[in-house]
Amino acid sequence: MKREFVLGFQYACHLWRRTDLEARPFNIIRVAQVLTEAGIEVFEVDIESSCLSCAPRPLAVREALTGEYTADYISGKEYPSEIPGVVLKLLAEKGITTHFEKNL
């Protein structure tokens, strides 16, 4: 089972769709900040290669960056199981509204 999820800046930009965020992240540090605010532990940020490693929670990462409920995403034996919607509920509790929040 994987112990980390590695996220590159280009893929983070692809996922970056939350309506409460700026149109595009400035850099990988901004991506790390958003993930941390969403309760995802970030282990390392590599500015040179524009990637980060975080807790092995790909579904949570996707929800944190898209603001969309995700029922199944990069599932399988490689990553621990996750509960869909957890990140969106955490964001809502912090007063951060996403365009999907009303459907939870």
Side-chain angles (χ1 to χ4, degrees), residues 4-26:
E4 68 178 355
F5 181 73
V6 177
L7 179 66
F9 184 69
Q10 292 301 320
Y11 189 57
C13 288
H14 171 74
L15 294 175
W16 193 271
R17 295 191 293 267
R18 262 184 38 202
T19 56
D20 64 306
L21 299 174
E22 58 274 17
R24 181 182 162 116
F26 180 71

Side-chain angles (χ1 to χ4, degrees), residues 1 76 79-83:
M1 186 150 323
Y79 295 99
S81 62
E82 296 183 76
I83 301 171

Side-chain angles (χ1 to χ4, degrees), residues 30-78:
R30 175 65 175 132
V31 175
Q33 179 186 24
V34 169
L35 295 182
T36 301
E37 289 171 353
I40 300 164
E41 184 179 4
V42 175
F43 303 137
E44 182 180 2
V45 177
D46 187 334
I47 298 169
E48 249 182 66
S49 65
S50 284
C51 68
L52 60 81
S53 65
C54 63
R57 300 177 59 198
L59 186 144
V61 168
R62 186 181 188 286
E63 286 187 352
L65 298 180
T66 65
E68 299 168 355
Y69 179 85
T70 305
D72 187 33
Y73 184 70
I74 310 181
S75 61
K77 296 178 182 177
E78 293 182 4

